[in-house]
């Protein structure tokens, strides 16, 4: 099925298909797939990227939720034994199942022109298996890339920034015009590289606490830290942490959030 005949892209699956060969070439140049790489493509659609990827690789796994598209892909790539299609929701797909299947501990490269409606939960889901990932290259809405790569004190800096930068180095790459896709989306896109740190720069003692405090802090970002983090920290705790309680959450670095989180773990509140 070509783009022309596949006339009803499904909005609920965020289907905006890449149709500009120059953009596809630029993505492949950025990713530089090597034949031995373990690659997983999320949301292959009608195979815009898959075609180029499979040409470079001995093995490629793709995860597509749309059964009709997966069926088309099956037909298009029937002679390409390198390709394995997983008809599944990427939000529930576990990279670890690939290692179990192949008995192969090699790190995985993840690539995708992601459905924009699920890009944030999908990145959070993949980060649960960050230790299995070599790198990730995603086409995302430009604003999401700005949030991923934001620095403290910027308006885009928030929970997504802190949690992704905790695990990964974030490198924004080139921008892509809406006309590179069919149907043409209302937003501009950008390729981004997320490379999990080999060694976490500031490890959290309990990731769930780090997640909880960043969520609480940024759900009330106009509040001062002392107000936003009241359930966790007293005035005395701020002094012990050497942190100004009248700052706003966006002033804190990733390392600051980890420091707070680790303090909470090591100073459990006394029950009164
Ligand atoms: N890679 C293709 C391209 O560049 O032309 C398609 C990109 S399109 C933006 C997103 C693709 O992700 C669609 O094929 C869509 O069906 C698929 N998709 C959407 N939600 C998904 C999910 N939860 N799990 C796996 N695939 C999903």
């Amino acid at each position: 099925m070509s783009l022309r005949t596949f006339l009803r892209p499904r909005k609920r699956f965020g289907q905006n298909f890449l149709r500009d060969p120059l953009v596809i070439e630029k993505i492949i140049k950025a990713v530089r797939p090597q034949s031995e790489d373990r690659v997983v493509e999320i949301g292959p659609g009608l195979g815009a990227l898959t075609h180029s990827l499979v040409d470079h690789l001995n093995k490629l796994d793709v995860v597509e939720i749309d059964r009709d598209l997966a069926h088309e892909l099956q037909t298009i790539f029937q002679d390409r034994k390198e390709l394995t299609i997983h008809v599944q929701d990427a939000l529930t797909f576990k990279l670890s199942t690939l290692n179990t299947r192949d008995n192969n501990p090699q790190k995985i490269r993840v690539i995708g022109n992601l459905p924009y409606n699920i890009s944030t939960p999908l990145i959070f889901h993949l980060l649960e298996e960050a230790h299995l990932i070599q790198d990730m290259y995603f086409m995302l809405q430009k604003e999401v890339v700005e949030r991923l790569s934001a620095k403290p004190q910027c308006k885009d800096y928030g929970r997504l920034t802190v949690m992704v930068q905790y695990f990964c180095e974030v490198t924004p790459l080139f921008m892509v015009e809406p006309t590179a896709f069919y149907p043409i989306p209302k937003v501009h896109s950008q390729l981004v590289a997320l490379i999990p740190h080999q060694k976490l720069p500031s490890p959290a003692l309990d990731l769930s606490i780090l997640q909880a405090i960043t969520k609480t802090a940024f759900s009330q970002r106009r509040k001062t830290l002392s107000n936003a983090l009241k359930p966790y920290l007293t005035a005395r705790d701020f002094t012990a942490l050497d942190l100004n309680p009248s700052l706003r959450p966006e002033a804190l670095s990733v390392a600051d959030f980890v420091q707070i989180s680790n303090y909470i773990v090591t100073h459990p509140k006394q029950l009164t």
Side-chain angles (χ1 to χ4, degrees):
M1 199 185 304
S2 71
L3 274 188
R4 243 180 286 280
T5 49
F6 188 81
L7 284 176
R8 306 197 57 176
R10 293 181 169 131
K11 230 180 168 173
R12 73 176 189 280
F13 290 147
Q15 289 174 353
N16 295 94
F17 300 103
L18 255 175
R19 60 170 171 186
D20 183 337
L22 290 179
V23 173
I24 295 170
E25 202 181 308
K26 272 176 92 173
I27 297 173
I28 298 295
K29 257 196 176 154
V31 174
R32 294 205 287 146
Q34 307 293 310
S35 57
E36 294 298 319
D37 288 347
R38 292 293 308 280
V39 177
V40 173
E41 186 192 357
I42 312 271
L46 285 163
L49 286 170
T50 321
H51 278 286
S52 304
L53 286 172
V54 87
D55 282 345
H56 286 83
L57 299 167
N58 295 339
K59 191 165 177 32
L60 172 64
D61 286 86
V62 299
V63 185
E64 174 57 62
I65 199 171
D66 186 326
R67 290 186 171 279
D68 294 335
L69 280 184
H71 188 257
E72 283 307 317
L73 278 179
Q74 204 73 264
T75 311
I76 298 170
F77 290 97
Q78 57 187 330
D79 297 329
R80 302 304 300 254
K81 299 294 170 239
E82 303 91 334
L83 187 71
T84 306
I85 303 171
H86 305 263
V87 189
Q88 195 178 327
D89 183 347
L91 288 169
T92 61
F93 185 80
K94 286 278 181 202
L95 296 175
S96 55
T97 58
L98 299 179
N99 284 346
T100 321
R101 183 194 68 192
D102 302 342
N103 196 18
N104 182 351
Q106 188 182 347
K107 288 215 175 179
I108 296 169
R109 310 190 72 191
V110 187
I111 294 170
N113 169 19
L114 293 191
Y116 295 164
N117 48 346
I118 60 152
S119 56
T120 302
L122 189 56
I123 290 172
F124 278 119
H125 172 69
L126 288 164
L127 289 178
E128 287 172 19
E129 294 189 295
H131 58 290
L132 300 179
I133 299 174
Q134 177 180 326
D135 53 19
M136 299 180 264
Y137 284 82
F138 294 136
M139 181 71 73
L140 296 170
Q141 188 175 333
K142 174 175 122 322
E143 287 75 13
V144 176
V145 175
E146 284 163 359
R147 285 166 58 204
L148 291 173
S149 56
K151 299 268 183 291
Q153 302 288 14
C154 294
K155 71 170 179 21
D156 298 316
Y157 187 80
R159 172 177 169 242
L160 180 67
T161 322
V162 173
M163 291 317 303
V164 171
Q165 291 186 10
Y166 172 79
F167 284 107
C168 302
E169 188 188 319
V170 179
T171 310
L173 299 168
F174 56 87
M175 310 263 256
V176 180
E177 293 291 320
T179 49
F181 304 91
Y182 173 82
I184 297 177
K186 291 198 177 72
V187 296
H188 279 69
S189 303
Q190 189 166 10
L191 192 73
V192 67
L194 307 178
I195 306 190
H197 302 298
Q198 299 265 9
K199 191 166 175 281
L200 291 175
S202 349
L205 296 172
D206 184 338
L207 189 62
S208 66
I209 301 287
L210 178 66
Q211 284 164 331
I213 60 161
T214 49
K215 191 169 180 188
T216 307
F218 287 110
S219 62
Q220 317 164 65
R221 58 186 298 144
R222 297 318 307 153
K223 287 193 178 175
T224 61
L225 281 177
S226 62
N227 279 329
L229 294 178
K230 209 169 233 152
Y232 297 98
L233 298 175
T234 63
R236 197 184 294 173
D237 294 328
F238 276 101
T239 311
L241 279 160
D242 196 20
L243 256 184
N244 179 352
S246 53
L247 290 175
R248 296 196 196 285
E250 69 239 33
L252 299 189
S253 66
V254 176
D256 291 332
F257 276 105
V258 174
Q259 190 202 356
I260 295 174
S261 161
N262 288 351
Y263 178 90
I264 292 168
V265 175
T266 50
H267 297 74
K269 270 195 166 172
Q270 299 299 313
L271 290 177
T272 48

